[in-house]
Amino acid sequence: MDLTTIIDALNDAQREAVTLPAGSALVLAGAGSGKTRVLVHRIAWLAQVEAVPLHRLMAVTFTNKAAAEMRGRVEALLHHSARGLWIGTFHGLAHRLLRRHAETAGLPETFQILDADDQYRLIRRLLKSLNLDEGRWPPRQVQWYINGQKDEGRRPKAIVETGDPFQHQMLQLYTAYEAICQRSGLVDFAELLLRAHELLRDHAELLSHYQERFHHVLVDEFQDTNTIQYAWLRLLSGESGNLFVVGDDDQSIYGWRGAKIENLHRFRRDYPDHRLVRLEQNYRSTATILNAANVLIANNENRLGKKLWTEGTQGEPISLYAAFNEQDEAYFVVERIKQWLEQGHLRSDAAILYRSNAQSRLFEEKLIQAGIPYRVYGGLRFFDRAEIKDALAYLRLIANRDDDASFERVVNAPPRGIGARTVEILREAARSRQQPLWRAAENICETKALPARALNALKQFLQLVDAMETDVREIGLSEQSKQIIERSGLIPHYQKEGEKGETRIDNLKELVNATRQFEYEHGDSNEEGIPILHLFLAQAALEAGDAQADEAEEYVQLMTMHSAKGLEFKLVFMAGMEEGLFPGERSLEEVGRLEEERRLCYVGITRAMQQLHFTFAESRRRYGRETYPKMSRFLREIPPELLQEVRMRAHVSRPVTAAPAARPTGLLDDSCGFPPGQRVMHNKFGEGVVLQCEGDGSQIRVQVNFEKGGAKWLMASYANLQVV
């Protein structure tokens, strides 16, 4: 097939973008509109029709996977190798430049790249050499500061001090870090971009050479560029260069990590003669789904503007499920997935999307119970996450001081001045005496066989764990976990890590919810006399085992909405659509954050191809407390005629004409008789509220939250519950 035939297969807007004359251009590519197709065909058009040699083209992407896919598709169109084409990520292309011109860039030819973990370890060594406490100066926070300054193109000398002691110390650390890297020939990821920009900016002949070399620069996902990336592109292309950028302001969702949606507007100012092409025809979703996305995103201001449409079917209404609580929500989602699979669909065509990683736990639990293989895309299962393992290690140490693995994990987590050398001394002492690390630590403290500073830190750790165990001995499991997490210092430690730390803290709070749920379900059924803490730790270990599907296995996918960008699924659930969760609480306080949250919702909606389900909980337990959130404003912004409220099991549905009903039908079939929210009386436990119900026939179990006795599971056939 020749290129003319291929071009004819494009739609009008795609064809216009691909065949634009030389010059600057902005292709505003809506979700599912074929942006990669346009980029690939643009490269092929330039090479085959405009006769531009491949070595005079540069294509920039954000992932190595995207770069490899693009190269392969170009070669398939041209029917020959694209060897001369410079195509890769910003970091990859910057590295290529620096390797070619290391000496000019002020680097040794043998310079080495520091990945994020190596950079973190280097910063830890720097803090230690300066006798700075990691508790006060967390390495992650220092790393974030340094990389943030580089992303903005600022060297230490360019940063104006404001008299703030914190900023002064950070600036000193940045300066010292730079000196170490320069002396050692080390380059971190942010440095690759900054150094490559400086290389061209400060060497006119070299800049002229590359501006002449690359007649055309093409950029994918332009809305995700940061300050230094845009500055580098401007240098390469020149004031009137051939810069062809593809992006979507409605899918700009990475502001928290430095992406500048403003770059789209800046491009239009910096290149006033640019051509603008809108790709609005969607090849992914039904018309109903696209209509919902269009109306939602129209609430954002200062958009460049576009409206997605399709020649495909109208499709089913978007379902809306108002769950009684988060348990009900997870049950509903998994039941619907089971029904989907029973109809012969593939597991891999279904995805559960949520705003926060902490939300995955209940979905994981219900999928495990249903025997449905799953994977957490782009992340770890709940009980595999580092912060959860840290908290569980404290709980295990409370339960068993002889647990060496838990001792080693938390003896210096969060950092408390117990370094690797101290831990090695403890190991040697434990081996020589054939005793656990805890006992060895007690002996060393008694004999004062450590330097004063390390000895004091070790003593404080032992005292902390002992005090924790004493203070939580007589309280319930959920209160135990809550107090131990708070007293461990993990939360203030993670608060210093910015956005990533907030995610970790959310996960720790969800762990408290997990212990409370476990307490509800097992607190009265422990006939063997085993402490409930031990039972919970055993379950956590089992759930962290082999429940997640193998890579080769077909599985349902769980992911955050950020992780879902660029993916598509026939069946999508967007869970936790509640004020304070999505949009998050911080988005209501910071300028611009609410609009980014709305863009994230738009991204979530446009992942769905055939069926989309929104769910929210009318009550949700967060950090051990019952909350009663409102339905997300994003749902209220979608026209009611596009939504259909659904009920569980009774299969009753009706169009949404106003806010959802105060209480959903929930988990029950008609034989249960006790819908969630129903007030009931028990002859022993008194009055309570039904939370949920499961099972069939004589095996129906009802969970009731009693005013005095808390939540309990009861067999409906024996409980003799009376409706109040």
Side-chain angles (χ1 to χ4, degrees):
M1 183 182 293
D2 61 29
L3 192 60
T4 303
T5 305
I6 297 171
I7 292 296
D8 288 343
L10 301 174
N11 67 39
D12 291 343
Q14 291 172 338
R15 190 179 307 112
E16 179 187 357
V18 166
T19 60
L20 284 174
S24 54
L26 168 58
V27 178
L28 202 59
S33 63
K35 69 177 179 62
T36 304
R37 190 182 195 195
V38 165
L39 276 166
V40 167
H41 283 72
R42 175 67 174 173
I43 293 170
W45 176 268
L46 291 171
Q48 191 162 320
V49 178
E50 303 291 345
V52 179
L54 284 177
H55 71 271
R56 291 188 170 238
L57 301 175
M58 175 185 282
V60 191
T61 69
F62 270 85
T63 68
N64 290 314
K65 180 181 178 182
E69 179 188 352
M70 196 178 297
R71 181 181 294 277
R73 290 173 66 171
V74 168
E75 290 177 342
L77 281 177
L78 296 179
H79 304 293
H80 61 72
S81 170
R83 189 172 181 180
L85 173 66
W86 275 41
I87 183 169
T89 65
F90 278 99
H91 293 99
L93 295 173
H95 175 247
R96 190 168 179 177
L97 276 176
L98 294 177
R99 284 293 179 200
R100 287 189 168 205
H101 308 284
E103 185 177 354
T104 307
L107 293 169
E109 289 186 3
T110 57
F111 75 84
Q112 298 296 312
I113 297 177
L114 281 173
D115 64 21
D117 289 338
D118 290 336
Q119 184 188 31
Y120 174 77
R121 285 190 285 270
L122 176 58
I123 290 170
R124 289 195 67 186
R125 291 196 296 273
L126 172 62
L127 291 168
K128 186 175 182 180
S129 70
L130 297 174
N131 293 317
L132 291 175
D133 180 13
E134 287 189 15
R136 187 176 179 190
W137 305 100
R140 294 284 181 208
Q141 191 173 20
V142 177
Q143 185 178 26
W144 173 82
Y145 175 84
I146 291 172
N147 292 340
Q149 296 300 325
K150 290 186 178 185
D151 285 346
E152 292 296 320
R154 291 191 286 261
R155 295 289 184 191
K157 291 181 180 179
I159 300 172
V160 178
E161 292 210 48
T162 61
D164 179 7
F166 174 82
Q167 187 218 27
H168 175 76
Q169 183 61 74
M170 282 293 188
L171 189 53
Q172 296 301 308
L173 288 168
Y174 183 13
T175 304
Y177 170 82
E178 277 219 317
I180 293 173
C181 289
Q182 188 65 33
R183 185 169 63 247
S184 307
L186 300 172
V187 178
D188 58 50
F189 286 154
E191 180 72 18
L192 284 171
L193 297 171
L194 179 54
R195 188 75 65 124
H197 175 259
E198 292 170 341
L199 173 68
L200 298 180
R201 183 197 66 191
D202 299 340
H203 298 89
E205 290 185 6
L206 202 60
L207 175 60
S208 179
H209 165 76
Y210 280 106
Q211 286 179 339
E212 176 65 23
R213 164 74 184 272
F214 296 117
H215 279 198
H216 295 267
V217 178
L218 303 95
V219 187
D220 190 15
E221 303 285 10
F222 183 71
Q223 77 281 349
D224 293 337
T225 54
N226 62 24
T227 299
I228 197 67
Q229 288 165 343
Y230 180 62
W232 185 69
L233 290 171
R234 283 210 66 197
L235 275 177
L236 266 179
S237 60
E239 291 297 326
S240 57
N242 298 324
L243 184 57
F244 183 96
V245 304
V246 180
D248 184 3
D249 54 338
D250 292 334
Q251 295 189 77
S252 179
I253 58 174
Y254 297 116
W256 51 275
R257 69 182 190 195
K260 302 284 187 181
I261 190 174
E262 299 89 348
N263 285 348
L264 283 159
H265 299 283
R266 195 170 292 136
F267 176 90
R268 302 198 70 185
R269 292 195 302 269
D270 293 340
Y271 299 90
D273 296 328
H274 73 279
R275 307 287 187 95
L276 175 64
V277 180
R278 290 178 170 85
L279 303 183
E280 299 174 302
Q281 185 174 357
N282 177 280
Y283 293 91
R284 176 188 298 154
S285 306
T286 65
T288 297
I289 291 169
L290 296 181
N291 289 340
N294 286 330
V295 175
L296 173 81
I297 202 63
N299 289 280
N300 277 2
E301 298 178 356
N302 301 317
R303 296 172 59 235
L304 296 180
K306 64 180 178 313
K307 188 173 182 179
L308 298 178
W309 60 276
T310 181
E311 291 182 343
T313 63
Q314 187 68 27
E316 302 176 17
I318 300 167
S319 82
L320 174 63
Y321 183 66
F324 180 68
N325 58 19
E326 66 272 29
Q327 295 275 342
D328 184 8
E329 178 185 50
Y331 190 93
F332 167 80
V333 170
V334 173
E335 282 294 302
R336 284 301 166 108
I337 290 174
K338 285 169 64 177
Q339 294 172 14
W340 164 268
L341 298 177
E342 288 167 0
Q343 295 168 11
H345 296 290
L346 299 176
R347 289 190 289 265
S348 57
D349 284 335
I352 304 171
L353 311 185
Y354 36 77
R355 179 62 181 87
S356 167
N357 262 313
Q359 292 170 255
S360 78
R361 183 187 66 83
L362 280 172
F363 296 110
E364 292 186 58
E365 181 181 292
K366 299 300 183 187
L367 287 166
I368 291 170
Q369 291 173 0
I372 300 174
Y374 74 92
R375 287 195 73 82
V376 179
Y377 181 92
L380 297 170
R381 292 171 296 174
F382 184 79
F383 285 107
D384 286 338
R385 294 166 190 163
E387 60 276 11
I388 299 302
K389 287 188 171 184
D390 288 344
L392 290 176
Y394 274 105
L395 289 167
R396 288 193 172 97
L397 206 54
I398 295 299
N400 176 19
R401 300 294 200 284
D402 294 344
D403 186 337
D404 283 355
S406 295
F407 181 95
E408 283 205 44
R409 185 171 187 94
V410 298
V411 69
N412 199 42
R416 50 173 58 88
I418 301 174
R421 178 58 188 151
T422 299
V423 174
E424 186 54 40
I425 291 172
L426 287 172
R427 289 197 197 104
E428 291 172 1
R431 279 195 298 266
S432 65
R433 297 188 178 103
Q434 294 188 329
Q435 59 185 190
L437 287 170
W438 180 275
R439 309 304 169 195
E442 289 180 325
N443 291 336
I444 284 176
C445 288
E446 290 173 5
T447 58
K448 300 182 179 179
L450 281 174
R453 184 176 177 182
L455 183 66
N456 185 52
L458 185 60
K459 281 183 177 178
Q460 289 182 3
F461 171 70
L462 298 181
Q463 291 167 359
L464 171 67
V465 174
D466 280 339
M468 282 178 174
E469 195 272 336
T470 300
D471 294 344
V472 305
R473 192 178 295 160
E474 302 300 326
I475 60 179
L477 175 62
S478 58
E479 277 302 312
Q480 285 183 22
S481 62
K482 183 178 179 181
Q483 286 197 28
I484 286 171
I485 287 171
E486 290 174 345
R487 294 178 62 177
S488 69
L490 290 171
I491 287 181
H493 171 64
Y494 289 131
Q495 282 172 336
K496 299 171 183 176
E497 290 189 6
E499 188 93 18
K500 186 176 181 180
E502 288 182 17
T503 299
R504 294 186 187 278
I505 292 169
D506 284 344
N507 286 334
L508 290 174
K509 291 178 179 179
E510 181 58 26
L511 179 62
V512 176
N513 291 342
T515 58
R516 184 173 293 274
Q517 178 190 339
F518 190 86
E519 205 170 18
Y520 286 168
E521 296 179 357
H522 301 274
D524 292 331
S525 60
N526 181 14
E527 298 176 359
E528 297 82 3
I530 302 172
I532 191 169
L533 173 59
H534 293 244
L535 291 175
F536 175 76
L537 292 173
Q539 175 174 291
L542 291 171
E543 288 201 17
D546 58 356
Q548 188 161 222
D550 295 331
E551 284 290 351
E553 191 175 4
E554 206 236 332
Y555 44 79
V556 171
Q557 301 202 59
L558 280 64
M559 66 190 73
T560 64
M561 291 187 210
H562 280 102
S563 297
K565 187 171 179 290
L567 303 176
E568 59 184 38
F569 306 93
K570 292 180 180 178
L571 173 66
V572 169
F573 295 87
M574 292 177 63
M577 300 294 295
E578 302 148 25
E579 290 288 300
L581 187 56
F582 191 39
E585 293 172 355
R586 282 186 60 186
S587 69
L588 307 179
E589 303 168 0
E590 298 182 20
V591 177
R593 283 291 289 266
L594 180 59
E595 291 209 344
E596 182 160 319
E597 288 279 283
R598 188 177 284 110
R599 292 194 292 270
L600 185 58
C601 186
Y602 173 87
V603 166
I605 291 172
T606 54
R607 298 313 94 196
M609 301 169 70
Q610 297 175 3
Q611 293 186 28
L612 175 61
H613 298 263
F614 291 122
T615 66
F616 71 96
E618 294 179 329
S619 67
R620 186 178 295 273
R621 188 166 289 277
R622 302 187 71 179
Y623 205 20
R625 292 191 299 272
E626 202 73 40
T627 63
Y628 301 92
K630 295 179 181 178
M631 180 174 70
S632 170
R633 69 188 64 198
F634 300 151
L635 294 181
R636 298 196 296 272
E637 290 170 356
I638 295 173
E641 61 268 19
L642 299 179
L643 302 174
Q644 190 171 60
E645 184 183 0
V646 297
R647 296 185 177 189
M648 195 63 168
R649 292 207 179 176
H651 302 296
V652 176
S653 64
R654 64 178 184 274
V656 179
T657 56
R663 184 177 72 236
T665 300
L667 307 177
L668 310 174
D669 58 29
D670 295 336
S671 62
C672 183
F674 300 103
Q678 174 68 60
R679 297 196 68 82
V680 295
M681 177 67 73
H682 186 271
N683 59 9
K684 177 180 178 182
F685 302 120
E687 194 169 325
V689 176
V690 174
L691 297 180
Q692 58 182 313
C693 179
E694 65 181 28
D696 296 296
S698 63
Q699 298 303 308
I700 290 175
R701 295 198 312 155
V702 184
Q703 187 185 31
V704 182
N705 188 17
F706 292 103
E707 292 179 357
K708 296 181 180 179
K712 299 182 184 299
W713 280 100
L714 305 170
M715 296 299 293
S717 56
Y718 298 107
N720 194 27
L721 293 173
Q722 302 297 316
V723 174
V724 176

